[in-house]
Amino acid sequence: MILPSPRIKRLLVLFFFSFLVGNALLHLVLPYDNPLVLAFRFNFSGLQLWLRGSGVEKDAWLYEPARFPIEYRNDVGLLIKTGYGTRHRLAAQLEALDLTPDDADDSFVVVGDWTPREGGKLAGVTVHDAIGGVMAMPEMRSHHDAPKFKEYLSLKDAVQAGDDAKATEIGKSFGWDLDALKFIWGLEYIYDNLPPKKWYVILDDDTYLVKSSLRLLLTHWDPDVPRYVGNAVGDFKGRFAHGGSAVVISHEAARQLLARRDVVAAAQEHSLDETWGDRLVASAFQKIGVYLDERYSHFFNGERPAISKMMADRFCSPLVSFHGVADPDEMRRIGAAFRDERSPVFWGQLWDIYGAPSVDEFKRLPIRAARDYVGRTDERARVLPGTETAEACLAACESAAGKCLAWTWVEHSAECRMSPWMILGERVKGHYSGVNVGEVERLRQSC
């Protein structure tokens, strides 16, 4: 091995410290949300994640004594976002989360883009009109002709006139546009109107929270430290916690943000042309120097159970959320499956909870006809064209070792799909699929 000369060593040390000092000066001189500051934080966060590794050791802190005990119903406030076009989901979600009307305005708040005609309530719970609340802000008076407000007023008129067909059409067409206005207003409402909470969680009406897993995380975090956590998405200019996967905000982070009326007003004004309300939350926090903590991103999940990607880097980690559960019956089934869990639920446990074939069963029958344990592929998957048999696809996956947890052979295209994750599996005609038994067995033993 060639060792660097003392002169090169000195230059490397000088470069390293110059880098640290330079970036420290960036933070001191430039605004918190300056692109240079955000770029530095993005790259530094990536370095942190790389240094922590992908094994179970990165979550070792969870097994230390909990220093911040919580009483879930008293210390956690849920902000549930719904809309006229998706209002049919709310009752099932409340049932799945074990929430009742008696808990409303104490443990949770529901915000929407309309006021229900039935005394302002839906599923026995008051729906607070966030869009109307934003319009009523003094800072927004000069923006009442904004397209989003016009959409809202059209929806409001249809609801008040009892024209459900028109209101539903407007809600489904423009509900997504209006959603961005609910985040900051809803956070301020829940902060001001609920009893003081240690933690606030923002979720959609198709999100399910695994309470036992979330509780484990929160008991290890200090609510008096500004903390903003969730499933990280976006580029370096706007890393944000995906709203559907659940966004966790400490009391101190909420306090600091809402104390800055200039930032709140600017965020609400920006919501009139922002598509993603969850990105708006991140940009507001960035202005006060609170950034998404990406070390905990792997706990949060943006998919429903059947297509949740169980990967090696999170197989033994707590699973906090599901998203995309638009079917009320499925939401109720998820609630029934997880409601009585007292211990944290780990990603790898999904396999057992939902009764997928065991490792021993895969050893006996490694190829499953009309199944797909890979699901939707992305840039992390590998596709091998011209694979003639399912057996060849299985062999390719096993030879890839840790880079392949599941494989699917598509008969009509002779295509072999290999992924570093596995899903519970869906029935797909003409597909043959299985898992890398050796890798799955190794992961299960590591937990």
Side-chain angles (χ1 to χ4, degrees):
M1 182 176 67
I2 300 176
L3 297 175
S5 67
R7 182 171 179 272
I8 292 177
K9 285 183 179 179
R10 287 195 297 271
L11 287 173
L12 289 173
V13 171
L14 180 62
F15 174 79
F16 177 73
F17 280 104
S18 298
F19 175 78
L20 291 181
V21 172
N23 282 287
L25 290 174
L26 282 180
H27 279 75
L28 290 173
V29 175
L30 297 176
Y32 293 124
D33 59 345
N34 183 277
L36 288 175
V37 174
L38 297 179
F40 169 74
R41 292 195 62 88
F42 176 77
N43 288 290
F44 183 72
S45 177
L47 177 62
Q48 275 187 314
L49 294 175
W50 180 77
L51 291 173
R52 290 174 72 222
S54 59
V56 294
E57 65 277 357
K58 71 179 182 300
D59 294 333
W61 57 276
L62 284 172
Y63 301 97
E64 297 173 358
R67 297 171 52 211
F68 307 99
I70 63 168
E71 180 62 42
Y72 191 90
R73 284 190 179 272
N74 294 331
D75 295 330
V76 180
L78 303 182
L79 172 62
I80 300 173
K81 299 184 298 88
T82 189
Y84 193 85
T86 61
R87 66 195 187 283
H88 62 282
R89 302 173 182 170
L90 183 64
Q93 184 191 39
L94 296 179
E95 180 182 333
L97 294 175
D98 197 23
L99 296 172
T100 69
D102 291 338
D103 299 316
D105 296 326
D106 183 45
S107 297
F108 73 97
V109 163
V110 177
V111 298
D113 50 21
W114 90 108
T115 299
R117 298 179 68 203
E118 300 79 11
K121 293 189 175 184
L122 178 67
V125 174
T126 299
V127 177
H128 301 276
D129 182 356
I131 319 304
V134 174
M135 278 195 78
M137 293 175 61
E139 300 91 341
M140 305 301 287
R141 288 172 184 162
S142 61
H143 300 287
H144 282 190
D145 60 346
K148 287 190 179 183
F149 284 149
K150 291 180 179 178
E151 294 165 3
Y152 161 72
L153 292 174
S154 296
L155 174 61
K156 182 178 180 179
D157 289 344
V159 171
Q160 290 179 343
D163 191 342
D164 179 65
K166 183 177 180 181
T168 299
E169 180 184 354
I170 295 171
K172 290 184 176 179
S173 299
F174 301 109
W176 187 253
D177 290 340
L178 299 178
D179 188 66
L181 283 74
K182 302 170 190 172
F183 284 79
I184 300 294
W185 188 90
L187 179 61
E188 186 168 26
Y189 186 91
I190 195 173
Y191 183 88
D192 289 341
N193 291 279
L194 258 61
K197 302 296 180 184
K198 294 179 180 179
W199 296 96
Y200 299 96
V201 184
I202 303 175
L203 55 155
D204 292 344
D205 57 12
D206 60 350
T207 304
Y208 180 80
L209 286 176
V210 183
K211 187 163 54 178
S212 56
S213 295
L214 179 60
R215 183 189 292 111
L216 175 66
L217 302 185
L218 298 185
T219 57
H220 285 79
W221 292 336
D222 186 350
D224 293 327
V225 171
R227 194 180 296 278
Y228 162 51
V229 182
N231 185 7
V233 295
D235 60 20
F236 79 91
K237 293 177 291 185
R239 296 290 279 175
F240 60 96
H242 174 234
S245 305
V247 180
V248 177
I249 298 168
S250 69
H251 175 88
E252 180 60 17
R255 187 196 68 78
Q256 290 187 18
L257 174 62
L258 298 175
R260 290 287 303 275
R261 296 307 309 167
D262 57 328
V263 174
V264 171
Q268 294 293 29
E269 185 174 353
H270 184 35
S271 70
L272 295 176
D273 52 38
E274 171 60 76
T275 302
W276 311 100
D278 37 14
R279 182 166 60 189
L280 186 71
V281 172
S283 63
F285 273 128
Q286 287 167 4
K287 291 183 183 299
I288 64 168
V290 175
Y291 303 95
L292 176 64
D293 195 331
E294 299 193 32
R295 292 175 295 172
Y296 312 118
S297 180
H298 60 290
F299 300 130
F300 297 84
N301 176 28
E303 305 287 0
R304 54 192 177 84
I307 57 174
S308 293
K309 293 180 170 69
M310 291 166 268
M311 303 179 68
D313 69 342
R314 62 200 61 188
F315 199 86
C316 304
S317 299
L319 171 62
V320 167
S321 56
F322 297 108
H323 178 237
V325 190
D327 178 6
D329 289 335
E330 183 181 10
M331 179 66 81
R332 290 188 177 94
R333 289 194 296 271
I334 294 172
F338 293 94
R339 185 181 296 115
D340 295 330
E341 291 287 349
R342 295 293 177 262
S343 299
V345 175
F346 298 90
W347 280 85
Q349 287 181 282
L350 285 182
W351 205 254
D352 299 323
I353 291 171
Y354 279 89
S358 67
V359 169
D360 288 338
E361 288 176 297
F362 271 112
K363 286 180 179 178
R364 290 193 297 270
L365 185 64
I367 299 174
R368 305 279 165 151
R371 301 295 298 187
D372 184 2
Y373 295 106
V374 172
R376 186 174 63 248
T377 58
D378 59 24
E379 69 280 356
R380 296 169 295 179
R382 186 181 176 194
V383 179
L384 302 178
T387 305
E388 295 184 357
T389 64
E391 288 79 6
C393 190
L394 166 61
C397 179
E398 290 178 339
S399 66
K403 295 181 180 179
C404 179
L405 275 188
W407 60 273
T408 293
W409 182 65
V410 184
E411 186 175 25
H412 79 273
S413 62
E415 184 177 85
C416 177
R417 301 170 183 171
M418 302 190 301
S419 62
W421 65 76
M422 61 186 193
I423 65 172
L424 290 172
E426 298 183 311
R427 288 195 170 276
V428 184
K429 187 177 180 180
H431 285 43
Y432 297 80
S433 193
V435 301
N436 188 338
V437 171
E439 283 301 308
V440 173
E441 201 164 34
R442 182 185 65 79
L443 288 172
R444 292 175 72 94
Q445 291 171 355
S446 70
C447 294

